[in-house]
Amino acid sequence: MAALTERGRAVLLLEEAVGYGLGCVEAVTSARLRRPTPCAGWDLEHLLWHLHESMAALREAPDRGGVALLPAGPGAPPPADPVAAVRDGAGELLESWRCWAARPGPSCAPVAVGGMPIPGETVALVGALEVAVHGWDIAQACGYARPIPAPLALAILRRAPQVADAGTRPALFAAPVRVPSQARAGDRLVAFLGRPPDRVPPDPAA
């Protein structure tokens, strides 16, 4: 069996994150859409819409060679079924990045993010982080303790400082939350991104 390329490993990580995230989305019901989430000021419906938009932007990165930090114009109206929109968007996201990984050649042109050239592998990592951590947020909002699997969390943690650095953290992430050094990898990942691990709110719909 041929060894995975860097592109192949990046897309495999994204696939694992999407699998975990979609598993968390299965807990969403219409009765839970107004529940608060670990993302301050966002209810579950807002978070699903944000994840849908993020996946749409990341899906276009391999084809267009760039990701806009802000929408070019007025956004589309929220989907009537945010869960179906996230599921469909996840499939399209993976298809786009699998095609990117299959392109011939040892390397690929960088992706422009806000005008800055970023390696495609790093952009795929951003996608994995976005889907995995927001999947965890969704599970928390639904009242479920569903930790990010250790292999996935460790793979993201190793490179997360590239994404949540001093320049990006104030706009994108809260300050890290202190956790014990022996905490599981999933808890360390969400804590690094400013979320207290597994403080599951009670579910009035349960």
Side-chain angles (χ1 to χ4, degrees):
M1 177 181 286
L4 280 175
T5 64
E6 283 296 318
R7 279 182 282 170
R9 281 191 285 269
V11 173
L12 183 59
L13 184 66
L14 183 58
E15 289 176 344
E16 292 173 358
V18 166
Y20 166 77
L22 289 181
C24 296
V25 169
E26 289 179 2
V28 177
T29 64
S30 58
R32 292 175 172 142
L33 289 177
R34 294 292 175 264
R35 297 208 72 208
T37 73
C39 303
W42 288 6
D43 63 18
L44 183 53
E45 185 174 33
H46 189 171
L47 176 58
L48 288 165
W49 178 228
H50 165 76
L51 182 57
H52 170 69
E53 287 187 313
S54 296
M55 290 193 300
L58 288 162
R59 181 183 70 237
E60 295 177 354
D63 298 327
R64 297 190 178 184
V67 178
L69 294 181
L70 294 172
D81 186 342
V83 171
V86 166
R87 287 176 178 151
D88 291 346
E92 293 167 359
L93 174 71
L94 289 181
E95 179 63 24
S96 179
W97 282 93
R98 284 167 179 158
C99 291
W100 170 81
R103 291 174 188 169
S107 62
C108 196
V111 173
V113 179
M116 295 288 292
I118 305 295
E121 293 84 355
T122 301
V123 178
L125 168 71
V126 172
L129 183 152
E130 180 86 355
V131 175
V133 174
H134 282 324
W136 182 88
D137 292 332
I138 289 165
Q140 292 278 301
C142 290
Y144 290 99
R146 194 168 192 269
I148 300 171
L152 174 60
L154 286 170
I156 296 175
L157 263 173
R158 280 195 288 269
R159 296 181 64 186
Q162 298 177 28
V163 178
D165 59 17
T168 60
R169 182 178 287 278
L172 300 176
F173 306 104
V177 173
R178 203 178 281 272
V179 292
S181 58
Q182 69 271 23
R184 60 193 176 192
D187 287 353
R188 285 187 279 126
L189 175 58
V190 298
F192 177 74
L193 299 174
R195 292 151 166 85
D198 283 345
R199 291 188 179 177
V200 180
D203 185 0

